[in-house]
Amino acid sequence: MNRIKLSSWILWTGLTLVLPLSLGAQTNCDEGAGPLRQVQPNGISSGEIIKKLSAQEKLFQEEQTHYTYAMEVSIQTLEGQIADGEFRRVSQISYAQGKRLENVLFAPQSTLVRITLTKEDFDDIDHRPPFVLTPEELPQYDVAYVGQQKVDQLETYVFEVTPKHMEKGRRYFQGKMWVETTDLAVVKSCGKNVPEQVEPVKKKKHRPVQPNVSPTFVTYREQFEDKYWFPTYVRADETLHLFNGDTCHVREVIKYTKYKRADSNASTISNATPK
């Protein structure tokens, strides 16, 4: 059976970022999707879907540690349609004994002025997308089935994910997941990292520290080797409301490309994301 990759879907979505008339300042989680059908799954319960997708997530997470890949990060602030500041970083990611290693290949001086990237921001970039709902993470969330939806050429089950409790110092995902109906694998997720710190932190003898405000991220995955769904494209395009009443249009794009098994000389996934 031929599997469907999301190449055309990702390319179409990415190209909207360079078309001025298509640029909004609010990430649309349903972009590229058909109408939501509030119907129950046929032949399987929502609880069984959650259990199976969670097992798949653990498998994909473990398999990803056997690959190297390129990771390109771009964070821009915009005035109208013109970028007035940018942070860029291109890295090669590999794993040793399951530990993530990053070799930074390109990192020009950041020109961001209107926002500051904090430790929490870099943690979110490097470790939060994509959201992975493993069996270990599952008890921390309420996962509610909301219906079925066609995304590009894929039929999917849609789930809303909400953290049950939020421990101090930890970050959680809050949003939606789209699960392919045949493989029962997550192919798309959209939401934000919570909790947000919406008020400035005052420290003695220092100016207030800018709070952390998280945009909404949409994450796309591609299937390859007919079995693994790995992330290939993450984006956020949103106007953030800062604590002092200011707003800032921020666009963030993360690309994962050139997946290759660590013991192979051949790339296993094509670079289908836009340049």
Side-chain angles (χ1 to χ4, degrees), residues 6-70:
L6 301 188
S7 305
S8 60
W9 171 24
I10 295 170
L11 181 60
W12 175 83
T13 303
L15 286 175
T16 65
L17 297 179
V18 298
L19 296 175
L21 294 178
S22 300
L23 283 171
Q26 183 67 39
T27 303
N28 179 8
C29 290
D30 289 319
E31 187 173 33
L36 178 68
R37 308 186 305 277
Q38 295 179 326
V39 295
Q40 292 300 311
N42 184 21
I44 188 172
S45 69
S46 59
E48 289 176 298
I49 296 172
I50 294 169
K51 183 178 179 179
K52 290 184 178 182
L53 77 85
S54 184
Q56 292 268 51
E57 291 284 85
K58 186 174 182 65
L59 171 64
F60 298 159
Q61 185 182 59
E62 291 175 348
E63 283 297 324
Q64 194 172 19
T65 66
H66 298 290
Y67 289 78
T68 64
Y69 54 91

Side-chain angles (χ1 to χ4, degrees), residues 92-109:
Q92 182 74 19
I93 307 300
S94 60
Y95 293 85
Q97 298 179 334
K99 183 178 180 181
R100 182 181 184 274
L101 304 176
E102 179 175 7
N103 179 25
V104 177
L105 305 176
F106 178 67
Q109 181 69 36

Side-chain angles (χ1 to χ4, degrees), residues 131-147:
F131 171 62
V132 180
L133 188 64
T134 63
E136 291 76 17
E137 294 282 332
L138 187 56
Q140 302 175 36
Y141 290 91
D142 287 319
V143 184
Y145 174 77
V146 296

Side-chain angles (χ1 to χ4, degrees), residues 166-189:
M166 288 188 278
E167 298 178 8
K168 186 176 180 180
R170 288 200 58 186
R171 298 277 273 172
Y172 299 84
F173 174 82
Q174 182 171 309
K176 290 182 179 180
M177 299 186 310
W178 285 258
V179 181
E180 202 268 339
T181 58
T182 302
D183 290 346
L184 298 183
V186 178
V187 297
K188 175 185 173 183
S189 58

Side-chain angles (χ1 to χ4, degrees), residues 107-174:
Q109 181 69 36
S110 172
T111 58
L112 293 174
V113 175
R114 291 193 286 155
I115 62 172
T116 300
L117 298 180
T118 65
K119 177 183 180 299
E120 290 78 10
D121 292 320
F122 285 110
D123 286 344
D124 284 348
I125 291 168
D126 293 331
H127 304 296
R128 297 305 298 171
F131 171 62
V132 180
L133 188 64
T134 63
E136 291 76 17
E137 294 282 332
L138 187 56
Q140 302 175 36
Y141 290 91
D142 287 319
V143 184
Y145 174 77
V146 296
Q148 297 184 36
Q149 195 168 28
K150 192 167 186 178
V151 181
D152 193 41
Q153 300 178 58
L154 301 178
E155 289 290 349
T156 68
Y157 301 120
V158 187
F159 291 86
E160 288 185 349
V161 182
T162 309
K164 292 180 179 179
H165 306 286
M166 288 188 278
E167 298 178 8
K168 186 176 180 180
R170 288 200 58 186
R171 298 277 273 172
Y172 299 84
F173 174 82
Q174 182 171 309

